[in-house]
Amino acid sequence: MADENSTPRPGQLANQTARLFIRAIDQALKPLGIRSGQIPVLLALRNGKELNQRALIEIVGIEQPGMVTLLSRMERDNLIRRTPDAKDKRSVRISLTDEGEEKSARVPEFLEEVNNKALTGFTTLERSILIALLDRIILNLENKE
């Protein structure tokens, strides 16, 4: 029986995989001037959608302070704009700028490039099995059935 400390655990492997994916995605997106952490916001606001900060927090799954920082950087980089909400004076609507819309449209091609690199040498069946197993882990950890 192998020593517990010498055998990688699924959580360790998932963590290392996630870090490597993020690094590869950030490297791939570098020419666009965006980072992996901005992807969920860019995709949520694509095609002219306007959302408030609360909705983006729910979609992205980060805490409010993190979202404030993320949106401030995205606004600084001319990816989003904030406009007053006509229905709620305490709230603002967030949407993509033209530049943000253009860059968000290109994100899927960069993500596909990284996914294809990561899955080089995998058969179609192996890809399907991996995705199914990862989906099951996510469901288990989210306590969903």
Side-chain angles (χ1 to χ4, degrees):
M1 185 165 158
D3 180 7
E4 281 187 16
N5 294 327
S6 66
T7 304
R9 299 287 181 226
Q12 292 168 315
L13 293 172
N15 183 286
Q16 183 178 4
T17 302
R19 285 187 290 113
L20 290 169
F21 260 108
I22 290 167
R23 185 182 310 154
I25 290 168
D26 282 339
Q27 187 64 35
L29 292 173
K30 204 172 204 174
L32 292 180
I34 59 177
R35 301 203 33 117
S36 57
Q38 299 169 327
I39 292 171
V41 172
L42 289 169
L43 296 181
L45 297 173
R46 280 189 67 192
N47 302 317
K49 289 183 187 156
E50 287 187 342
L51 297 170
N52 62 28
Q53 186 171 304
R54 185 178 309 121
L56 285 171
I57 286 169
E58 289 178 25
I59 291 168
V60 176
I62 63 173
E63 299 292 326
Q64 184 172 348
M67 181 58 73
V68 169
T69 301
L70 178 62
L71 292 176
S72 293
R73 288 180 182 156
M74 292 179 76
E75 186 174 39
R76 176 200 68 200
D77 295 341
N78 194 36
L79 297 172
I80 63 159
R81 76 174 66 80
R82 301 178 208 218
T83 55
D85 188 331
K87 297 177 185 174
D88 182 357
K89 299 298 180 196
R90 299 169 295 160
S91 184
V92 296
R93 305 294 289 175
I94 301 159
S95 60
L96 294 179
T97 62
D98 289 343
E99 183 177 346
E101 193 73 57
E102 181 182 311
K103 289 181 178 185
S104 72
R106 298 195 55 208
V107 165
E109 73 185 74
F110 286 91
L111 295 179
E112 187 168 340
E113 174 187 313
V114 172
N115 282 323
N116 286 336
K117 179 181 179 184
L119 297 175
T120 298
F122 283 62
T123 67
T124 302
L125 178 60
E126 289 170 331
R127 288 175 183 228
S128 296
I129 291 169
L130 176 63
I131 291 166
L133 293 173
L134 291 171
D135 281 341
R136 190 181 320 163
I137 289 171
I138 290 167
L139 287 173
N140 289 344
L141 294 174
E142 288 180 342
N143 295 319
K144 295 180 182 176
E145 294 184 18

